[in-house]
Coordinates of all heavy atoms in Angstrom, one line a residue:
D450 N 83.8 -12.0 -80.6 CA 83.9 -13.4 -80.7 C 84.3 -13.7 -82.2 O 83.5 -13.6 -83.1 CB 82.6 -14.1 -80.4 CG 82.6 -15.6 -80.5 OD1 83.6 -16.2 -81.0 OD2 81.6 -16.3 -80.2
P451 N 85.5 -14.2 -82.4 CA 85.9 -14.5 -83.8 C 85.4 -15.7 -84.5 O 85.5 -16.0 -85.6 CB 87.5 -14.6 -83.7 CG 87.7 -15.1 -82.4 CD 86.6 -14.5 -81.5
G452 N 84.7 -16.6 -83.6 CA 84.1 -17.8 -84.2 C 84.6 -19.1 -83.8 O 84.3 -20.1 -84.4
W453 N 85.5 -19.1 -82.7 CA 85.9 -20.4 -82.2 C 86.0 -20.3 -80.7 O 85.9 -19.2 -80.1 CB 87.3 -20.8 -82.8 CG 88.4 -19.9 -82.5 CD1 89.3 -19.9 -81.4 CD2 88.9 -18.8 -83.4 NE1 90.2 -18.9 -81.5 CE2 90.0 -18.3 -82.7 CE3 88.5 -18.3 -84.6 CZ2 90.7 -17.2 -83.3 CZ3 89.2 -17.3 -85.1 CH2 90.3 -16.7 -84.5
P454 N 86.1 -21.4 -79.9 CA 86.1 -21.3 -78.5 C 87.2 -20.4 -77.9 O 88.3 -20.4 -78.4 CB 86.3 -22.8 -78.1 CG 85.8 -23.6 -79.3 CD 86.2 -22.8 -80.4
A455 N 86.8 -19.8 -76.8 CA 87.8 -19.0 -76.1 C 88.8 -19.9 -75.3 O 88.5 -21.0 -75.1 CB 87.0 -18.1 -75.1
W456 N 89.9 -19.3 -75.0 CA 91.0 -20.0 -74.3 C 90.5 -20.5 -73.0 O 89.8 -19.8 -72.2 CB 92.2 -19.1 -74.2 CG 93.4 -19.7 -73.6 CD1 93.9 -19.6 -72.3 CD2 94.4 -20.4 -74.3 NE1 95.1 -20.2 -72.2 CE2 95.5 -20.7 -73.4 CE3 94.6 -20.7 -75.7 CZ2 96.6 -21.4 -73.8 CZ3 95.7 -21.4 -76.0 CH2 96.7 -21.8 -75.1
D457 N 90.8 -21.8 -72.7 CA 90.4 -22.3 -71.4 C 91.5 -23.4 -71.1 O 92.5 -23.4 -71.7 CB 89.0 -22.9 -71.4 CG 88.7 -24.0 -72.4 OD1 89.7 -24.6 -72.9 OD2 87.6 -24.2 -72.7
A458 N 91.1 -24.3 -70.1 CA 92.1 -25.3 -69.7 C 92.5 -26.2 -70.8 O 93.6 -26.9 -70.8 CB 91.6 -26.1 -68.5
T459 N 91.7 -26.4 -71.9 CA 92.0 -27.2 -73.0 C 92.9 -26.6 -74.1 O 93.3 -27.2 -75.0 CB 90.7 -27.8 -73.7 OG1 90.0 -26.7 -74.3 CG2 89.8 -28.4 -72.6
H460 N 93.1 -25.3 -73.9 CA 94.0 -24.5 -74.9 C 93.5 -24.7 -76.3 O 94.3 -25.1 -77.2 CB 95.4 -25.0 -74.7 CG 96.0 -24.6 -73.4 ND1 97.3 -24.8 -73.1 CD2 95.5 -24.0 -72.3 CE1 97.6 -24.4 -71.8 NE2 96.4 -23.8 -71.3
P461 N 92.3 -24.2 -76.7 CA 91.9 -24.3 -78.1 C 92.6 -23.2 -78.9 O 92.7 -22.1 -78.5 CB 90.4 -24.1 -78.0 CG 90.2 -23.3 -76.8 CD 91.3 -23.7 -75.8
V462 N 93.1 -23.6 -80.1 CA 93.8 -22.7 -81.0 C 93.2 -22.9 -82.4 O 93.2 -24.0 -82.9 CB 95.3 -22.9 -81.0 CG1 96.0 -22.0 -82.1 CG2 95.9 -22.7 -79.7
R463 N 92.7 -21.8 -83.0 CA 92.2 -21.9 -84.4 C 93.4 -22.0 -85.4 O 94.3 -21.1 -85.3 CB 91.4 -20.7 -84.7 CG 90.9 -20.5 -86.1 CD 89.9 -21.7 -86.5 NE 89.1 -21.3 -87.7 CZ 89.4 -21.7 -88.9 NH1 90.5 -22.4 -89.2 NH2 88.6 -21.4 -89.9
I464 N 93.4 -23.0 -86.2 CA 94.5 -23.2 -87.2 C 94.0 -22.7 -88.5 O 93.0 -23.2 -89.0 CB 94.9 -24.6 -87.3 CG1 95.3 -25.2 -85.9 CG2 96.1 -24.8 -88.2 CD1 96.4 -24.6 -85.2
F465 N 94.7 -21.7 -89.1 CA 94.3 -21.2 -90.4 C 95.2 -21.9 -91.5 O 96.4 -21.5 -91.6 CB 94.4 -19.7 -90.5 CG 93.4 -19.0 -89.7 CD1 93.6 -18.4 -88.5 CD2 92.1 -18.8 -90.3 CE1 92.6 -17.8 -87.8 CE2 91.1 -18.2 -89.6 CZ 91.3 -17.7 -88.3
D466 N 94.7 -22.9 -92.1 CA 95.4 -23.7 -93.1 C 94.3 -24.4 -94.0 O 93.2 -24.6 -93.5 CB 96.4 -24.6 -92.5 CG 97.4 -25.2 -93.5 OD1 97.4 -24.8 -94.7 OD2 98.2 -26.1 -93.1
L467 N 94.7 -24.9 -95.1 CA 93.8 -25.7 -95.9 C 93.8 -27.2 -95.6 O 92.9 -27.9 -95.8 CB 94.1 -25.5 -97.4 CG 93.9 -24.1 -98.0 CD1 94.2 -24.1 -99.5 CD2 92.4 -23.6 -97.8
D468 N 95.0 -27.6 -95.1 CA 95.2 -29.1 -94.9 C 95.4 -29.4 -93.4 O 96.3 -30.2 -93.1 CB 96.4 -29.5 -95.7 CG 96.2 -29.3 -97.2 OD1 95.1 -29.5 -97.7 OD2 97.2 -28.8 -97.8
A469 N 94.6 -28.8 -92.6 CA 94.8 -29.1 -91.1 C 93.4 -28.9 -90.5 O 92.5 -28.2 -91.0 CB 95.8 -28.1 -90.5
P470 N 93.2 -29.6 -89.3 CA 91.9 -29.4 -88.6 C 91.8 -27.9 -88.3 O 92.8 -27.2 -88.0 CB 92.1 -30.2 -87.3 CG 93.2 -31.1 -87.6 CD 94.1 -30.5 -88.6
E471 N 90.5 -27.4 -88.3 CA 90.3 -26.0 -88.0 C 90.7 -25.6 -86.5 O 91.2 -24.5 -86.2 CB 88.9 -25.6 -88.2 CG 88.5 -25.5 -89.7 CD 87.1 -24.9 -89.9 OE1 86.5 -24.6 -88.9 OE2 86.7 -24.8 -91.1
L472 N 90.5 -26.6 -85.6 CA 90.8 -26.3 -84.2 C 91.7 -27.4 -83.7 O 91.5 -28.6 -83.9 CB 89.4 -26.3 -83.4 CG 89.5 -25.7 -82.0 CD1 89.7 -24.2 -82.1 CD2 88.2 -26.0 -81.3
A473 N 92.7 -26.9 -83.0 CA 93.7 -27.8 -82.3 C 93.7 -27.4 -80.9 O 93.7 -26.3 -80.5 CB 95.0 -27.8 -83.0
H474 N 93.9 -28.4 -80.0 CA 94.0 -28.1 -78.6 C 95.4 -28.2 -78.1 O 96.0 -29.3 -78.1 CB 93.1 -29.1 -77.8 CG 91.6 -28.8 -78.0 ND1 90.9 -27.9 -77.2 CD2 90.8 -29.3 -78.9 CE1 89.7 -27.9 -77.7 NE2 89.5 -28.7 -78.7
G475 N 96.0 -27.1 -77.8 CA 97.4 -27.0 -77.4 C 98.4 -27.5 -78.4 O 99.2 -28.4 -78.1
P476 N 98.4 -27.0 -79.7 CA 99.3 -27.5 -80.7 C 100.7 -27.4 -80.3 O 101.6 -28.1 -80.9 CB 98.9 -26.8 -81.9 CG 98.3 -25.5 -81.5 CD 97.6 -25.9 -80.2
R477 N 101.1 -26.4 -79.4 CA 102.5 -26.2 -79.1 C 102.7 -26.4 -77.6 O 103.7 -25.8 -77.0 CB 103.0 -24.9 -79.6 CG 102.9 -24.7 -81.1 CD 103.7 -23.5 -81.6 NE 105.1 -23.7 -81.4 CZ 105.9 -24.4 -82.2 NH1 105.4 -24.9 -83.3 NH2 107.2 -24.5 -82.0

Side-chain angles (χ1 to χ4, degrees):
D450 179 355
W453 63 87
W456 187 260
D457 59 18
T459 68
H460 292 184
V462 177
R463 174 65 161 95
I464 307 297
F465 288 101
D466 194 4
L467 295 180
D468 302 316
E471 287 191 1
L472 197 69
H474 290 274
R477 300 195 65 85

